[in-house]
PDB file of all heavy atoms in Angstrom:
ATOM      1  N   GLU A  10     -12.658  -8.171 -17.315  1.00 86.00           N
ATOM      2  CA  GLU A  10     -11.879  -9.457 -17.420  1.00 86.00           C
ATOM      3  C   GLU A  10     -10.484  -9.171 -17.995  1.00 86.00           C
ATOM      4  O   GLU A  10      -9.452  -9.708 -17.544  1.00 86.00           O
ATOM      5  CB  GLU A  10     -12.580 -10.442 -18.208  1.00 86.00           C
ATOM      6  CG  GLU A  10     -13.857 -11.031 -17.615  1.00 86.00           C
ATOM      7  CD  GLU A  10     -14.586 -11.988 -18.507  1.00 86.00           C
ATOM      8  OE1 GLU A  10     -14.003 -12.387 -19.570  1.00 86.00           O
ATOM      9  OE2 GLU A  10     -15.724 -12.289 -18.275  1.00 86.00           O
ATOM     10  N   ARG A  11     -10.465  -8.271 -19.040  1.00 87.00           N
ATOM     11  CA  ARG A  11      -9.203  -8.036 -19.764  1.00 87.00           C
ATOM     12  C   ARG A  11      -8.194  -7.290 -18.922  1.00 87.00           C
ATOM     13  O   ARG A  11      -6.962  -7.502 -18.988  1.00 87.00           O
ATOM     14  CB  ARG A  11      -9.470  -7.227 -21.022  1.00 87.00           C
ATOM     15  CG  ARG A  11      -8.330  -7.200 -21.984  1.00 87.00           C
ATOM     16  CD  ARG A  11      -8.811  -6.822 -23.402  1.00 87.00           C
ATOM     17  NE  ARG A  11      -9.490  -5.518 -23.383  1.00 87.00           N
ATOM     18  CZ  ARG A  11     -10.732  -5.314 -23.743  1.00 87.00           C
ATOM     19  NH1 ARG A  11     -11.525  -6.401 -23.996  1.00 87.00           N
ATOM     20  NH2 ARG A  11     -11.326  -4.184 -23.712  1.00 87.00           N
ATOM     21  N   ASN A  12      -8.713  -6.413 -18.016  1.00 89.00           N
ATOM     22  CA  ASN A  12      -7.806  -5.562 -17.209  1.00 89.00           C
ATOM     23  C   ASN A  12      -7.790  -5.932 -15.772  1.00 89.00           C
ATOM     24  O   ASN A  12      -7.297  -5.143 -14.929  1.00 89.00           O
ATOM     25  CB  ASN A  12      -8.221  -4.075 -17.345  1.00 89.00           C
ATOM     26  CG  ASN A  12      -8.152  -3.597 -18.779  1.00 89.00           C
ATOM     27  OD1 ASN A  12      -7.218  -3.936 -19.506  1.00 89.00           O
ATOM     28  ND2 ASN A  12      -9.086  -2.798 -19.169  1.00 89.00           N
ATOM     29  N   ALA A  13      -8.280  -7.114 -15.355  1.00 91.00           N
ATOM     30  CA  ALA A  13      -8.424  -7.450 -13.943  1.00 91.00           C
ATOM     31  C   ALA A  13      -7.006  -7.510 -13.282  1.00 91.00           C
ATOM     32  O   ALA A  13      -6.908  -7.054 -12.093  1.00 91.00           O
ATOM     33  CB  ALA A  13      -9.065  -8.890 -13.876  1.00 91.00           C
ATOM     34  N   GLY A  14      -6.004  -7.969 -13.977  1.00 92.00           N
ATOM     35  CA  GLY A  14      -4.649  -7.983 -13.382  1.00 92.00           C
ATOM     36  C   GLY A  14      -4.191  -6.574 -13.000  1.00 92.00           C
ATOM     37  O   GLY A  14      -3.554  -6.439 -11.942  1.00 92.00           O
ATOM     38  N   GLY A  15      -4.427  -5.641 -13.873  1.00 92.00           N
ATOM     39  CA  GLY A  15      -4.041  -4.254 -13.622  1.00 92.00           C
ATOM     40  C   GLY A  15      -4.775  -3.690 -12.452  1.00 92.00           C
ATOM     41  O   GLY A  15      -4.166  -2.977 -11.630  1.00 92.00           O
ATOM     42  N   TYR A  16      -6.043  -3.970 -12.376  1.00 93.00           N
ATOM     43  CA  TYR A  16      -6.862  -3.409 -11.266  1.00 93.00           C
ATOM     44  C   TYR A  16      -6.379  -4.019  -9.904  1.00 93.00           C
ATOM     45  O   TYR A  16      -6.352  -3.322  -8.924  1.00 93.00           O
ATOM     46  CB  TYR A  16      -8.314  -3.705 -11.477  1.00 93.00           C
ATOM     47  CG  TYR A  16      -8.897  -3.116 -12.740  1.00 93.00           C
ATOM     48  CD1 TYR A  16      -9.913  -3.744 -13.406  1.00 93.00           C
ATOM     49  CD2 TYR A  16      -8.374  -1.921 -13.244  1.00 93.00           C
ATOM     50  CE1 TYR A  16     -10.409  -3.189 -14.610  1.00 93.00           C
ATOM     51  CE2 TYR A  16      -8.866  -1.350 -14.420  1.00 93.00           C
ATOM     52  CZ  TYR A  16      -9.926  -1.994 -15.134  1.00 93.00           C
ATOM     53  OH  TYR A  16     -10.442  -1.487 -16.252  1.00 93.00           O
ATOM     54  N   LEU A  17      -6.032  -5.303  -9.935  1.00 94.00           N
ATOM     55  CA  LEU A  17      -5.602  -5.930  -8.736  1.00 94.00           C
ATOM     56  C   LEU A  17      -4.311  -5.245  -8.199  1.00 94.00           C
ATOM     57  O   LEU A  17      -4.188  -4.891  -7.047  1.00 94.00           O
ATOM     58  CB  LEU A  17      -5.303  -7.406  -8.957  1.00 94.00           C
ATOM     59  CG  LEU A  17      -4.672  -8.191  -7.839  1.00 94.00           C
ATOM     60  CD1 LEU A  17      -5.545  -8.271  -6.629  1.00 94.00           C
ATOM     61  CD2 LEU A  17      -4.175  -9.555  -8.270  1.00 94.00           C
ATOM     62  N   TRP A  18      -3.382  -5.005  -9.095  1.00 94.00           N
ATOM     63  CA  TRP A  18      -2.091  -4.432  -8.661  1.00 94.00           C
ATOM     64  C   TRP A  18      -2.235  -2.946  -8.312  1.00 94.00           C
ATOM     65  O   TRP A  18      -1.465  -2.431  -7.543  1.00 94.00           O
ATOM     66  CB  TRP A  18      -0.992  -4.694  -9.665  1.00 94.00           C
ATOM     67  CG  TRP A  18      -0.583  -6.117  -9.503  1.00 94.00           C
ATOM     68  CD1 TRP A  18      -0.833  -7.226 -10.317  1.00 94.00           C
ATOM     69  CD2 TRP A  18       0.307  -6.599  -8.461  1.00 94.00           C
ATOM     70  NE1 TRP A  18      -0.252  -8.345  -9.797  1.00 94.00           N
ATOM     71  CE2 TRP A  18       0.440  -7.981  -8.694  1.00 94.00           C
ATOM     72  CE3 TRP A  18       0.944  -6.015  -7.387  1.00 94.00           C
ATOM     73  CZ2 TRP A  18       1.232  -8.785  -7.832  1.00 94.00           C
ATOM     74  CZ3 TRP A  18       1.733  -6.815  -6.530  1.00 94.00           C
ATOM     75  CH2 TRP A  18       1.877  -8.169  -6.782  1.00 94.00           C
ATOM     76  N   LEU A  19      -3.114  -2.219  -8.917  1.00 93.00           N
ATOM     77  CA  LEU A  19      -3.347  -0.860  -8.596  1.00 93.00           C
ATOM     78  C   LEU A  19      -3.899  -0.804  -7.133  1.00 93.00           C
ATOM     79  O   LEU A  19      -3.499   0.029  -6.332  1.00 93.00           O
ATOM     80  CB  LEU A  19      -4.318  -0.148  -9.537  1.00 93.00           C
ATOM     81  CG  LEU A  19      -3.692   0.289 -10.852  1.00 93.00           C
ATOM     82  CD1 LEU A  19      -4.764   0.832 -11.768  1.00 93.00           C
ATOM     83  CD2 LEU A  19      -2.621   1.321 -10.615  1.00 93.00           C
ATOM     84  N   ALA A  20      -4.853  -1.749  -6.835  1.00 93.00           N
ATOM     85  CA  ALA A  20      -5.367  -1.773  -5.478  1.00 93.00           C
ATOM     86  C   ALA A  20      -4.280  -2.087  -4.456  1.00 93.00           C
ATOM     87  O   ALA A  20      -4.210  -1.438  -3.351  1.00 93.00           O
ATOM     88  CB  ALA A  20      -6.483  -2.832  -5.374  1.00 93.00           C
ATOM     89  N   ILE A  21      -3.411  -3.056  -4.811  1.00 94.00           N
ATOM     90  CA  ILE A  21      -2.302  -3.377  -3.900  1.00 94.00           C
ATOM     91  C   ILE A  21      -1.365  -2.185  -3.750  1.00 94.00           C
ATOM     92  O   ILE A  21      -0.791  -1.900  -2.673  1.00 94.00           O
ATOM     93  CB  ILE A  21      -1.559  -4.638  -4.399  1.00 94.00           C
ATOM     94  CG1 ILE A  21      -2.432  -5.839  -4.318  1.00 94.00           C
ATOM     95  CG2 ILE A  21      -0.278  -4.874  -3.575  1.00 94.00           C
ATOM     96  CD1 ILE A  21      -1.905  -7.060  -5.003  1.00 94.00           C
ATOM     97  N   LEU A  22      -1.048  -1.505  -4.814  1.00 93.00           N
ATOM     98  CA  LEU A  22      -0.128  -0.335  -4.806  1.00 93.00           C
ATOM     99  C   LEU A  22      -0.659   0.765  -3.934  1.00 93.00           C
ATOM    100  O   LEU A  22       0.030   1.310  -3.066  1.00 93.00           O
ATOM    101  CB  LEU A  22       0.113   0.196  -6.231  1.00 93.00           C
ATOM    102  CG  LEU A  22       0.952   1.442  -6.345  1.00 93.00           C
ATOM    103  CD1 LEU A  22       2.391   1.151  -5.917  1.00 93.00           C
ATOM    104  CD2 LEU A  22       0.972   2.009  -7.768  1.00 93.00           C
ATOM    105  N   PHE A  23      -1.961   1.109  -4.079  1.00 91.00           N
ATOM    106  CA  PHE A  23      -2.507   2.148  -3.268  1.00 91.00           C
ATOM    107  C   PHE A  23      -2.497   1.724  -1.772  1.00 91.00           C
ATOM    108  O   PHE A  23      -2.278   2.591  -0.928  1.00 91.00           O
ATOM    109  CB  PHE A  23      -3.945   2.488  -3.714  1.00 91.00           C
ATOM    110  CG  PHE A  23      -4.026   3.084  -5.088  1.00 91.00           C
ATOM    111  CD1 PHE A  23      -5.130   2.895  -5.901  1.00 91.00           C
ATOM    112  CD2 PHE A  23      -2.959   3.772  -5.633  1.00 91.00           C
ATOM    113  CE1 PHE A  23      -5.183   3.460  -7.191  1.00 91.00           C
ATOM    114  CE2 PHE A  23      -3.009   4.331  -6.919  1.00 91.00           C
ATOM    115  CZ  PHE A  23      -4.151   4.167  -7.682  1.00 91.00           C
ATOM    116  N   ALA A  24      -2.855   0.509  -1.521  1.00 90.00           N
ATOM    117  CA  ALA A  24      -2.837   0.055  -0.116  1.00 90.00           C
ATOM    118  C   ALA A  24      -1.419   0.017   0.467  1.00 90.00           C
ATOM    119  O   ALA A  24      -1.217   0.186   1.645  1.00 90.00           O
ATOM    120  CB  ALA A  24      -3.527  -1.335  -0.029  1.00 90.00           C
ATOM    121  N   SER A  25      -0.462  -0.282  -0.377  1.00 89.00           N
ATOM    122  CA  SER A  25       0.935  -0.388   0.085  1.00 89.00           C
ATOM    123  C   SER A  25       1.426   0.961   0.726  1.00 89.00           C
ATOM    124  O   SER A  25       2.281   0.955   1.607  1.00 89.00           O
ATOM    125  CB  SER A  25       1.908  -0.792  -1.005  1.00 89.00           C
ATOM    126  OG  SER A  25       2.115   0.251  -1.959  1.00 89.00           O
ATOM    127  N   VAL A  26       0.942   2.100   0.205  1.00 88.00           N
ATOM    128  CA  VAL A  26       1.305   3.386   0.787  1.00 88.00           C
ATOM    129  C   VAL A  26       0.904   3.467   2.220  1.00 88.00           C
ATOM    130  O   VAL A  26       1.659   3.994   3.043  1.00 88.00           O
ATOM    131  CB  VAL A  26       0.685   4.530  -0.068  1.00 88.00           C
ATOM    132  CG1 VAL A  26       1.041   5.848   0.498  1.00 88.00           C
ATOM    133  CG2 VAL A  26       1.143   4.465  -1.536  1.00 88.00           C
ATOM    134  N   LEU A  27      -0.323   2.995   2.514  1.00 84.00           N
ATOM    135  CA  LEU A  27      -0.773   2.963   3.924  1.00 84.00           C
ATOM    136  C   LEU A  27       0.167   2.078   4.751  1.00 84.00           C
ATOM    137  O   LEU A  27       0.576   2.440   5.865  1.00 84.00           O
ATOM    138  CB  LEU A  27      -2.195   2.542   4.019  1.00 84.00           C
ATOM    139  CG  LEU A  27      -3.218   3.399   3.347  1.00 84.00           C
ATOM    140  CD1 LEU A  27      -4.613   2.779   3.484  1.00 84.00           C
ATOM    141  CD2 LEU A  27      -3.294   4.789   3.999  1.00 84.00           C
ATOM    142  N   SER A  28       0.437   0.894   4.250  1.00 83.00           N
ATOM    143  CA  SER A  28       1.227  -0.082   4.975  1.00 83.00           C
ATOM    144  C   SER A  28       2.626   0.404   5.240  1.00 83.00           C
ATOM    145  O   SER A  28       3.159   0.347   6.345  1.00 83.00           O
ATOM    146  CB  SER A  28       1.271  -1.391   4.192  1.00 83.00           C
ATOM    147  OG  SER A  28       2.162  -2.302   4.761  1.00 83.00           O
ATOM    148  N   LEU A  29       3.295   0.930   4.216  1.00 85.00           N
ATOM    149  CA  LEU A  29       4.654   1.396   4.290  1.00 85.00           C
ATOM    150  C   LEU A  29       4.825   2.528   5.284  1.00 85.00           C
ATOM    151  O   LEU A  29       5.723   2.628   6.092  1.00 85.00           O
ATOM    152  CB  LEU A  29       5.242   1.691   2.912  1.00 85.00           C
ATOM    153  CG  LEU A  29       5.371   0.532   1.946  1.00 85.00           C
ATOM    154  CD1 LEU A  29       5.561   1.062   0.545  1.00 85.00           C
ATOM    155  CD2 LEU A  29       6.529  -0.382   2.384  1.00 85.00           C
ATOM    156  N   GLY A  30       3.897   3.510   5.133  1.00 80.00           N
ATOM    157  CA  GLY A  30       3.930   4.660   6.035  1.00 80.00           C
ATOM    158  C   GLY A  30       3.798   4.341   7.512  1.00 80.00           C
ATOM    159  O   GLY A  30       4.432   4.867   8.389  1.00 80.00           O
ATOM    160  N   GLU A  31       2.779   3.416   7.757  1.00 79.00           N
ATOM    161  CA  GLU A  31       2.524   2.988   9.119  1.00 79.00           C
ATOM    162  C   GLU A  31       3.720   2.175   9.735  1.00 79.00           C
ATOM    163  O   GLU A  31       3.869   2.176  10.937  1.00 79.00           O
ATOM    164  CB  GLU A  31       1.219   2.200   9.179  1.00 79.00           C
ATOM    165  CG  GLU A  31       0.013   3.015   9.097  1.00 79.00           C
ATOM    166  CD  GLU A  31      -0.150   4.030  10.211  1.00 79.00           C
ATOM    167  OE1 GLU A  31       0.136   3.665  11.357  1.00 79.00           O
ATOM    168  OE2 GLU A  31      -0.545   5.153   9.969  1.00 79.00           O
ATOM    169  N   SER A  32       4.413   1.470   8.840  1.00 77.00           N
ATOM    170  CA  SER A  32       5.576   0.615   9.399  1.00 77.00           C
ATOM    171  C   SER A  32       6.598   1.449  10.115  1.00 77.00           C
ATOM    172  O   SER A  32       7.245   0.962  11.054  1.00 77.00           O
ATOM    173  CB  SER A  32       6.159  -0.152   8.229  1.00 77.00           C
ATOM    174  OG  SER A  32       6.855   0.687   7.388  1.00 77.00           O
ATOM    175  N   PHE A  33       6.822   2.714   9.710  1.00 76.00           N
ATOM    176  CA  PHE A  33       7.796   3.554  10.338  1.00 76.00           C
ATOM    177  C   PHE A  33       7.136   4.591  11.304  1.00 76.00           C
ATOM    178  O   PHE A  33       7.863   5.157  12.097  1.00 76.00           O
ATOM    179  CB  PHE A  33       8.687   4.291   9.357  1.00 76.00           C
ATOM    180  CG  PHE A  33       9.844   3.474   8.908  1.00 76.00           C
ATOM    181  CD1 PHE A  33       9.757   2.683   7.750  1.00 76.00           C
ATOM    182  CD2 PHE A  33      11.025   3.401   9.656  1.00 76.00           C
ATOM    183  CE1 PHE A  33      10.828   1.950   7.311  1.00 76.00           C
ATOM    184  CE2 PHE A  33      12.075   2.682   9.229  1.00 76.00           C
ATOM    185  CZ  PHE A  33      11.969   1.925   8.081  1.00 76.00           C
ATOM    186  N   ARG A  34       5.816   4.717  11.203  1.00 74.00           N
ATOM    187  CA  ARG A  34       5.191   5.621  12.194  1.00 74.00           C
ATOM    188  C   ARG A  34       5.296   5.065  13.596  1.00 74.00           C
ATOM    189  O   ARG A  34       5.523   5.800  14.558  1.00 74.00           O
ATOM    190  CB  ARG A  34       3.681   5.789  11.817  1.00 74.00           C
ATOM    191  CG  ARG A  34       3.020   6.918  12.464  1.00 74.00           C
ATOM    192  CD  ARG A  34       1.523   6.909  12.150  1.00 74.00           C
ATOM    193  NE  ARG A  34       1.293   6.990  10.746  1.00 74.00           N
ATOM    194  CZ  ARG A  34       1.193   8.106  10.039  1.00 74.00           C
ATOM    195  NH1 ARG A  34       1.386   9.287  10.583  1.00 74.00           N
ATOM    196  NH2 ARG A  34       1.026   8.063   8.704  1.00 74.00           N
ATOM    197  N   VAL A  35       5.210   3.752  13.714  1.00 70.00           N
ATOM    198  CA  VAL A  35       5.326   3.142  15.061  1.00 70.00           C
ATOM    199  C   VAL A  35       6.739   3.385  15.664  1.00 70.00           C
ATOM    200  O   VAL A  35       6.904   3.665  16.810  1.00 70.00           O
ATOM    201  CB  VAL A  35       5.105   1.615  14.947  1.00 70.00           C
ATOM    202  CG1 VAL A  35       5.312   0.913  16.308  1.00 70.00           C
ATOM    203  CG2 VAL A  35       3.674   1.365  14.497  1.00 70.00           C
ATOM    204  N   GLU A  36       7.745   3.327  14.733  1.00 70.00           N
ATOM    205  CA  GLU A  36       9.107   3.476  15.220  1.00 70.00           C
ATOM    206  C   GLU A  36       9.498   4.895  15.589  1.00 70.00           C
ATOM    207  O   GLU A  36      10.354   5.166  16.444  1.00 70.00           O
ATOM    208  CB  GLU A  36      10.127   2.972  14.123  1.00 70.00           C
ATOM    209  CG  GLU A  36       9.889   1.554  13.716  1.00 70.00           C
ATOM    210  CD  GLU A  36      10.176   0.519  14.804  1.00 70.00           C
ATOM    211  OE1 GLU A  36      10.786   0.947  15.854  1.00 70.00           O
ATOM    212  OE2 GLU A  36       9.779  -0.664  14.660  1.00 70.00           O
ATOM    213  N   THR A  37       8.818   5.846  14.863  1.00 69.00           N
ATOM    214  CA  THR A  37       9.179   7.255  15.194  1.00 69.00           C
ATOM    215  C   THR A  37       8.512   7.806  16.437  1.00 69.00           C
ATOM    216  O   THR A  37       8.934   8.795  16.979  1.00 69.00           O
ATOM    217  CB  THR A  37       8.779   8.123  13.984  1.00 69.00           C
ATOM    218  OG1 THR A  37       7.403   7.940  13.643  1.00 69.00           O
ATOM    219  CG2 THR A  37       9.660   7.834  12.753  1.00 69.00           C
ATOM    220  N   GLU A  38       7.428   7.113  16.835  1.00 66.00           N
ATOM    221  CA  GLU A  38       6.789   7.536  18.110  1.00 66.00           C
ATOM    222  C   GLU A  38       7.727   7.209  19.281  1.00 66.00           C
ATOM    223  O   GLU A  38       8.260   6.169  19.481  1.00 66.00           O
ATOM    224  CB  GLU A  38       5.441   6.878  18.285  1.00 66.00           C
ATOM    225  CG  GLU A  38       4.444   7.280  17.261  1.00 66.00           C
ATOM    226  CD  GLU A  38       3.131   6.457  17.385  1.00 66.00           C
ATOM    227  OE1 GLU A  38       3.122   5.536  18.229  1.00 66.00           O
ATOM    228  OE2 GLU A  38       2.159   6.786  16.667  1.00 66.00           O
ATOM    229  N   ASN A  39       7.885   8.191  20.203  1.00 61.00           N
ATOM    230  CA  ASN A  39       8.646   8.049  21.449  1.00 61.00           C
ATOM    231  C   ASN A  39      10.105   7.677  21.141  1.00 61.00           C
ATOM    232  O   ASN A  39      10.762   7.001  21.928  1.00 61.00           O
ATOM    233  CB  ASN A  39       8.045   6.994  22.335  1.00 61.00           C
ATOM    234  CG  ASN A  39       6.646   7.410  22.767  1.00 61.00           C
ATOM    235  OD1 ASN A  39       6.349   8.566  23.091  1.00 61.00           O
ATOM    236  ND2 ASN A  39       5.716   6.435  22.832  1.00 61.00           N
ATOM    237  N   ALA A  40      10.608   8.034  19.931  1.00 63.00           N
ATOM    238  CA  ALA A  40      11.998   7.838  19.590  1.00 63.00           C
ATOM    239  C   ALA A  40      12.375   6.341  19.633  1.00 63.00           C
ATOM    240  O   ALA A  40      13.539   5.957  19.973  1.00 63.00           O
ATOM    241  CB  ALA A  40      12.912   8.630  20.388  1.00 63.00           C
TER     242      ALA A  40
END
């Protein structure tokens, strides 16, 4: 309960790496 906010944002941060990387992977394919 005390650290729930930190765990939430760590989960979002780790997931954001997948999201951000994929956002430009589509653009780099086929130039």
Side-chain angles (χ1 to χ4, degrees):
E10 292 176 14
R11 192 162 59 247
N12 298 320
Y16 300 149
L17 173 68
W18 282 102
L19 281 175
I21 295 173
L22 176 66
F23 294 152
S25 72
V26 176
L27 296 177
S28 172
L29 294 165
E31 285 298 319
S32 67
F33 275 95
R34 194 185 303 273
V35 175
E36 303 294 347
T37 53
E38 292 177 355
N39 300 319

